[in-house]
Amino acid sequence: DLIRCSSGTTDEDTYLEIRKLLDDLYNHGNLSTLEAIQSGEVTVLQVLASTRKKGILHQVTANLDRPIFPTIQKWIEQSALKDSTQASYSGHLQSFKHVLTSTDTLAALVSRLDDFRKLKLRTKRHQTFNRTKAVVQSFVKSEYGKTSELYLKVQQVPDLKPILRPKKEGLEVEEIVALTDGIPKHVADMIWSMCFTGMRYYEYAEEHETTWEPKTKPASVFITKANPGHGNKGYSRTTLNPFPDELQTPTIGYRQFNRYLKQFQGRVNKSLSSHAFRYTFVHWCDLAGIPVFRTMMYTGHGAT
């Protein structure tokens, strides 16, 4: 009766339809629309007319007075997304947080997203913006629906065209020989060891809960990652070890190792980092005629 009086309807069928509507709104998690009805922002008959046209998930009111960062973060945490996807979304949201203030509400979401776009355009981090925008779109789509005005406005913020970076090439055998000729033996041993196995530096240095163990039959290395995390950066796997006697454990840290690389990189006329030797391993596998899918397994980019 309270619903009948507040809605203003005297039609029994409409009254029953309204009761079902309110139950459906609650069951589908469309709490913003229920709050708007309760506050008097919209009438229940207006909501009924809107849902008849656009469906139960359509948000009649945007309810844009909530703070941006806590609201989206809470949505991520309460979503049914995989743990790895939640971690990825939270990471992109943290990046977006740099252009937000504590008083920014969802009413300013499109404006702040555009500010973030300009920032990443200036710093040439196009993919960072595109991924963050995808997180924001997912949130708005889930909360307000694809037909909502907010979703359409977010969608209209242009993506940034990905920057095509030059393909990173591995070094030839002759270049590694030239690089390691005459430099301290313990540094040369580390370079050759990474070229032979394709290990990332942190894997080679047994950091981040990673260990490796050489096997002699067949000649290989088994890399163990205790906490895989997300993506392909943590697969335990077996990789090649074509020269078992040459495989040496690292004797210096990352910074000191890179200082040596910077000092001697003029010998190959290339800017070098520890990851260059992982690319070199891939390049040598290609020269050896090893199928790409198997090289991907060796480097942890495919099925183990």
Side-chain angles (χ1 to χ4, degrees), residues 271-295:
S271 179
L272 296 179
S273 69
S274 60
H275 218 64
F277 309 120
R278 181 168 163 83
Y279 297 130
T280 298
F281 170 82
V282 172
H283 177 52
W284 290 359
C285 284
D286 183 53
L287 293 176
I290 295 173
V292 173
F293 77 89
R294 185 166 290 279
T295 302

Side-chain angles (χ1 to χ4, degrees), residues 239-257:
T239 186
L240 296 176
N241 182 21
F243 303 102
D245 295 337
E246 304 297 327
L247 184 60
Q248 302 294 323
T249 55
T251 54
I252 57 177
Y254 179 78
R255 291 185 179 180
Q256 190 175 358
F257 180 66

Side-chain angles (χ1 to χ4, degrees), residues 10 18 39 46 48 112 120 146 155 179-180 263 269 277:
T10 57
I18 288 173
S39 66
Q46 287 175 324
L48 180 61
R112 291 293 173 265
K120 294 308 168 184
K146 291 179 67 174
Q155 200 174 35
L179 176 65
T180 57
Q263 180 181 350
N269 196 28
F277 309 120

Side-chain angles (χ1 to χ4, degrees), residues 199-211:
M199 282 192 276
R200 299 176 176 89
Y201 182 86
Y202 79 81
E203 293 172 338
Y204 180 48
E206 298 189 287
E207 298 173 348
H208 308 317
E209 302 182 77
T210 304
T211 58

Side-chain angles (χ1 to χ4, degrees), residues 46-156:
Q46 287 175 324
V47 174
L48 180 61
S50 178
T51 52
R52 281 171 175 170
K53 289 182 179 180
K54 300 179 180 180
I56 196 67
L57 295 179
H58 171 67
Q59 298 280 358
V60 175
T61 174
N63 189 20
L64 302 180
D65 58 348
R66 294 178 290 170
I68 293 176
F69 182 81
T71 301
I72 300 180
Q73 184 61 49
K74 183 178 180 181
W75 170 78
I76 293 172
E77 293 170 356
Q78 294 180 349
S79 67
L81 300 168
K82 294 189 299 184
D83 290 347
S84 59
T85 305
Q86 285 189 3
S88 176
Y89 276 22
S90 294
H92 295 314
L93 189 61
Q94 286 292 336
S95 180
F96 185 35
K97 190 178 180 181
H98 294 308
V99 299
L100 301 176
T101 68
S102 59
T103 59
D104 280 335
T105 66
L106 291 171
L109 180 61
V110 176
S111 175
R112 291 293 173 265
L113 188 63
D114 193 53
D115 291 341
F116 187 63
R117 180 183 184 276
K118 292 173 183 175
L119 173 64
K120 294 308 168 184
L121 180 62
R122 190 164 61 249
T123 57
K124 300 186 185 302
R125 302 298 299 273
H126 295 198
Q127 277 298 92
T128 299
F129 168 76
N130 292 342
R131 289 168 180 165
T132 302
K133 179 191 169 186
V135 174
V136 172
Q137 273 190 291
S138 295
F139 159 74
V140 176
K141 178 181 176 181
S142 174
E143 289 286 291
Y144 302 109
K146 291 179 67 174
T147 60
S148 67
E149 184 179 2
L150 182 61
Y151 181 83
L152 296 176
K153 286 183 177 179
V154 168
Q155 200 174 35
Q156 287 169 3

Side-chain angles (χ1 to χ4, degrees), residues 164-195:
L164 297 178
R165 304 187 187 278
K167 183 180 178 181
K168 296 184 178 180
E169 304 286 349
L171 283 72
E172 303 297 334
V173 176
E174 295 80 3
E175 290 179 304
I176 297 295
V177 171
L179 176 65
T180 57
D181 185 26
I183 71 174
K185 184 178 184 302
H186 65 285
V187 182
D189 286 342
M190 291 176 66
I191 291 174
W192 283 107
S193 295
M194 282 190 279
C195 288

